[in-house]
Amino acid sequence: GSVVVLNKWGSWCPPCVKETPDLVEAWAQIQAMEAPVTMVGLNFRESPQTGAAFAERSGMTYPSLSDEDGVLPLELQGRAQATPTTLVIDAEGRIAAAVAGPLTTATLVGLVEDVLTDDAVAGG
């Protein structure tokens, strides 16, 4: 019943590294909204240890799953081919927004606000 932000990333990916501070800031702003939103990273095609080390170094404040084998994006309706990709999934489990490439804080917060508004209008 909550909105989910899923960010596919890897520490080997320069645009991912560049966007991480923006994602951390966006997550802080989203948490301040006190809305039903969860954010999770999907560390793509690298060891859990390498991903965890990067997450700690970069101050990542949201959890991140490891996908060392690179199979989880196959479950995302082909909407997470690029790295990075960020999906915003509405409360009904539908992909409401997909952005291939790095995001800014303002863009991610705006997408989440739009999905929350759409869910509220739809009675979600």
Side-chain angles (χ1 to χ4, degrees), residues 88-112:
V88 181
I89 302 165
D90 71 12
E92 302 296 317
R94 299 174 298 220
I95 297 173
V99 177
L103 278 176
T104 64
T105 299
T107 299
L108 181 54
V109 170
L111 289 171
V112 169

Side-chain angles (χ1 to χ4, degrees), residues 56-79:
E56 186 174 330
R57 272 194 323 273
S58 64
M60 200 178 286
T61 53
Y62 46 89
S64 193
L65 305 172
S66 177
D67 185 26
E68 190 171 5
D69 297 329
V71 296
L72 291 176
L74 300 174
E75 302 295 324
L76 300 172
Q77 304 168 14
R79 303 286 298 271

Side-chain angles (χ1 to χ4, degrees), residues 2-9 19 23-24 27 30-31 37-44 55 60-67 72 76 85-89 103 108 112:
S2 67
V3 171
V4 176
V5 176
L6 177 66
N7 174 256
K8 178 183 155 198
W9 66 277
E19 81 171 347
L23 296 177
V24 170
W27 179 230
I30 291 165
Q31 286 181 301
V37 180
T38 300
M39 184 163 164
V40 65
L42 178 60
N43 181 15
F44 185 66
M60 200 178 286
T61 53
Y62 46 89
S64 193
L65 305 172
S66 177
D67 185 26
L72 291 176
L76 300 172
T85 292
T86 302
L87 304 177
V88 181
I89 302 165
L103 278 176
L108 181 54
V112 169

Side-chain angles (χ1 to χ4, degrees), residues 9-54:
W9 66 277
S11 66
W12 47 265
C13 160
C16 301
V17 172
K18 181 180 182 298
E19 81 171 347
T20 299
D22 283 304
L23 296 177
V24 170
E25 176 59 28
W27 179 230
Q29 290 181 27
I30 291 165
Q31 286 181 301
M33 293 178 201
E34 297 185 6
V37 180
T38 300
M39 184 163 164
V40 65
L42 178 60
N43 181 15
F44 185 66
R45 291 206 180 264
E46 70 185 342
S47 75
Q49 297 82 4
T50 301
F54 173 78

